[in-house]
Amino acid sequence: MSFSPNSTLSKGVDKMQDLVKDWMIDLVVYIDPDSPVLEALSKMRRRYLNSLIVQKTSDSPEYGIVTSTDICDKIVAQGKNPAEVKIRDIMASPLISVDPQQTIFDCAKLMSEHHIHHLPVVDKNKEVIGMISATDFLVVAEALAHGDRDQQLR
């Protein structure tokens, strides 16, 4: 079977060459590793977020991440009090991250391979400049289905 350049499938494949920078959210919300999980819950709920970046500190020299899944698995499922547990006790660090110039396809593969749903986007200095999550891929998938008509989705 051959594909013409105008076929819907080939357009969908080309869309997978879109870059992370084209789809990432540039809002990054931070939390201190010594903050109680309760503070993270409040920030996440007020801002409709499912993850926060954990700030670097003198005793935590690398960024971390805390997600709604971490809170579910490490707080709620274990019956712990979020006011008594520190972020550093449930965060993931070091970060698994993605470069803004990587393709959406590579980003999705990385998330799948590591069984994660949130990827910080880092620049060449390893500073967090954005986030991309599994939820963002709902829009990516919809854009793939629409082909060239996807401009309203970006």
Side-chain angles (χ1 to χ4, degrees):
M1 177 177 196
S2 65
F3 297 102
S4 69
N6 294 325
S7 75
T8 303
L9 183 55
S10 69
K11 285 181 184 176
V13 172
D14 288 343
K15 291 297 173 196
M16 290 305 276
Q17 297 307 311
D18 281 353
L19 302 179
V20 168
K21 70 178 184 157
D22 299 325
W23 294 97
M24 72 181 201
I25 304 298
D26 59 5
L27 172 67
V28 179
V29 179
Y30 294 89
I31 192 157
D32 187 278
D34 289 317
S35 295
V37 172
L38 183 60
E39 184 179 326
L41 290 169
S42 179
K43 280 187 176 191
M44 292 165 84
R45 187 179 49 77
R46 281 194 327 263
R47 295 179 182 239
Y48 301 99
L49 297 171
N50 289 309
S51 65
L52 301 172
I53 296 298
V54 182
Q55 296 168 325
K56 295 179 186 180
T57 64
S58 56
D59 39 316
S60 291
E62 295 197 39
Y63 287 115
I65 189 169
V66 64
T67 70
S68 54
T69 302
D70 294 324
I71 293 168
C72 178
D73 294 351
K74 299 172 184 176
I75 299 296
V76 178
Q78 295 183 20
K80 294 183 178 177
N81 183 340
E84 297 172 358
V85 178
K86 302 281 186 207
I87 293 295
R88 74 171 57 253
D89 298 329
I90 68 166
M91 71 181 198
S93 182
L95 289 179
I96 297 170
S97 61
V98 66
D99 183 282
Q101 297 300 320
Q102 285 184 266
T103 66
I104 284 295
F105 177 75
D106 291 337
C107 180
K109 278 181 47 180
L110 183 65
M111 291 171 86
S112 178
E113 289 167 1
H114 290 279
H115 307 286
I116 57 177
H117 299 108
H118 303 86
L119 265 179
V121 182
V122 298
D123 64 15
K124 56 185 150 206
N125 298 320
K126 300 296 183 196
E127 295 299 318
V128 180
I129 60 168
M131 292 291 294
I132 193 157
S133 73
T135 307
D136 297 322
F137 282 93
L138 298 175
V139 179
V140 172
E142 187 177 10
L144 287 171
H146 286 290
D148 289 336
R149 297 175 293 143
D150 77 341
Q151 293 305 314
Q152 72 272 13
L153 297 173
R154 292 177 191 250

